[in-house]
Amino acid sequence: GYAVPAAQLQIDDSGAIVRAVAHGAGLACVSRLAAEQASAAHPIEFVVLDGLSLARPLWRVRRMAMASQAPLLHRFEVELNAALDTSRK
């Protein structure tokens, strides 16, 4: 692979990242949704990288006091667990 370059700028907001790129700060990887929303107001170019698959962990969070009290939340958690189990096979 490639060597990982040292970050010269760190921005935690997707919209701000796209605005920085539009103003010449370099390039970035952001979600397509973030890029599309920001591109309506800023000139950016979408570059398709064939064969590149980026993944990041997603965390499930919930309020502990409500976890066992809300049937809809319980049903959602059961369905989510089933989908995750299926995707791992």
Side-chain angles (χ1 to χ4, degrees):
Y2 297 100
V4 177
Q8 299 298 313
L9 177 65
Q10 293 184 7
I11 304 172
D12 291 333
D13 177 83
S14 296
I17 292 169
V18 174
R19 289 189 300 276
V21 168
H23 289 91
L27 58 93
C29 293
V30 297
S31 73
R32 182 155 192 93
L33 177 61
E36 287 173 348
Q37 289 175 342
S39 70
H42 302 283
I44 61 170
E45 179 180 355
F46 292 86
V47 179
V48 178
L49 303 171
D50 292 327
L52 178 64
S53 176
L54 300 175
R56 62 181 175 181
L58 298 177
W59 299 94
R60 177 179 13 180
V61 296
R62 65 179 179 203
R63 184 175 174 190
M64 291 302 293
M66 294 182 66
S68 61
Q69 298 175 2
L72 181 60
L73 292 177
H74 176 72
R75 175 72 180 171
F76 175 74
E77 187 170 17
V78 168
E79 293 295 327
L80 180 59
N81 287 335
L84 290 171
D85 289 342
T86 300
S87 70
R88 291 180 183 140
K89 294 180 180 176

